[in-house]
Amino acid sequence: MRIPMYIVDAFTDQPFAGNPAAVCLLPQPARDEWMQRVAAEMNLSETAFVVPHEGGYRLRWFTPKAEVDLCGHATLASAHVLWERGQRRRGEAIAFFTNSGVLTAINNDGWIRLDFPSEAPMLDESPPAVLTDALAAKPLFIGRNRFDYLVEVDSEQTVYELQPDFRLLQQVDARGVIVTSCSSAGEADFVSRAFFPAIGVPEDPVTGSAHCCLGPYWADRLGKTTLVGHQVSSRGGIVRVTVAGKRVHLEGKAVTVLKGELTDEAGIFL
């Protein structure tokens, strides 16, 4: 058996920009150990494993080191692949059954819209010293949600120039750290970078799940529910965000850059 495998650049309309995700299309559930080995082999921030399930798809995400409970760019990439292969009509919504509930993807006039949970940050009045030491930047706000810390700094330039101490960041008791500032350019409302060294991703190029936190935070700060985020990693990417109560809609584009097949191994399926 040959297993289809894709690499897709998400949150961009240009190859070799945005955030690359591997998408593995499985006929049935596979063993966790095998999926983790594949993710380590791909060595991308996430590898998505997609399995048909109850009119939609079961979707799981693995970094090179661990499984995660929510990932935006690999979900966007998975929807892109399913439409590109003709496994779903482009006008048809796709339901993904995940560890964070049912997530849906629809094609919105050339943009892929994801319906995700809102993960608004709560103010942390006693943040760990290792966090501020690792960033070496004066925070205007520090909060966290169930996944990550969110740190607002004084300017867009500070976000661009940040050089975190990844050894110290690994000691922070969270999935990762998001650093953000209001944008000084007219094209975006806010900028951000996101760091996840504890799960094998020192800096993530464009992080959909981080915008589940950034969206509600900046919606409250700026008094608007529709925003544009620019993640200013070296690859960079744009995420359109709409805050809708307990849900956040994330929109981005995607480009396939590689198609291939994995060779089946004995005993990989449950």
Side-chain angles (χ1 to χ4, degrees):
M1 178 188 298
R2 300 284 182 168
I3 299 170
M5 193 81 178
Y6 291 74
I7 294 179
V8 174
D9 289 340
F11 293 116
T12 182
D13 59 0
Q14 299 294 323
F16 316 121
N19 199 354
V23 179
C24 181
L25 301 178
L26 296 168
Q28 63 191 79
R31 297 187 181 279
D32 289 4
E33 317 89 77
W34 179 82
M35 290 189 288
Q36 187 63 75
R37 291 202 308 271
V38 172
E41 182 77 8
M42 295 299 102
N43 200 32
L44 299 172
S45 56
E46 257 86 18
T47 297
F49 296 89
V50 183
V51 182
H53 178 80
E54 296 180 357
Y57 297 88
R58 177 77 169 110
L59 177 61
R60 295 173 68 180
W61 313 278
F62 286 77
T63 77
K65 286 190 175 181
E67 184 174 11
V68 296
D69 287 333
L70 189 64
C71 177
H73 84 281
T75 305
L76 189 147
S78 298
H80 170 79
V81 167
L82 292 169
W83 283 320
E84 187 176 76
R85 287 173 56 88
Q87 292 183 225
R88 281 291 189 271
R89 298 188 307 274
R90 288 198 177 271
E92 183 181 5
I94 301 174
F96 293 110
F97 298 84
T98 79
N99 289 347
S100 289
V102 180
L103 312 176
T104 58
I106 64 171
N107 193 313
N108 182 32
D109 195 25
W111 291 71
I112 297 173
R113 176 185 292 173
L114 306 176
D115 183 354
F116 269 42
S118 174
E119 301 288 351
M122 299 293 292
L123 175 66
D124 189 335
E125 296 180 347
S126 301
V130 69
L131 173 59
T132 51
D133 290 346
L135 297 177
K138 184 177 180 180
L140 301 181
F141 170 90
I142 298 179
R144 71 165 298 167
N145 59 21
R146 65 189 176 116
F147 298 123
D148 308 313
Y149 276 97
L150 176 72
V151 180
E152 182 188 354
V153 294
D154 62 348
S155 70
E156 183 173 352
Q157 183 177 356
T158 299
V159 177
Y160 271 99
E161 295 178 351
L162 202 66
Q163 296 184 30
D165 184 327
F166 293 115
R167 180 185 60 83
L168 292 179
L169 273 189
Q170 282 185 305
Q171 301 174 33
V172 176
D173 184 20
R175 182 186 68 166
V177 176
I178 308 159
V179 182
T180 187
S181 173
C182 192
S183 176
S184 58
E187 297 178 356
D189 295 290
F190 60 88
V191 297
S192 66
R193 291 170 67 190
F195 309 100
F196 306 99
I199 56 172
V201 184
E203 180 167 4
D204 196 34
V206 193
T207 314
S209 64
H211 286 75
C212 296
C213 177
L214 288 160
Y217 178 74
W218 284 111
D220 183 63
R221 294 270 278 107
L222 299 177
K224 55 195 296 189
T225 56
T226 300
L227 309 104
V228 176
H230 182 195
Q231 195 155 331
V232 293
S233 66
S234 59
R235 291 173 65 101
I238 296 296
V239 184
R240 301 200 311 200
V241 186
T242 301
V243 179
K246 295 183 179 180
R247 307 296 291 181
V248 174
H249 299 154
L250 310 175
E251 289 188 328
K253 295 187 176 183
V255 181
T256 299
V257 295
L258 185 147
K259 302 178 183 180
E261 295 176 328
L262 285 175
T263 303
D264 185 14
E265 300 176 36
I268 70 169
F269 296 116
L270 296 175

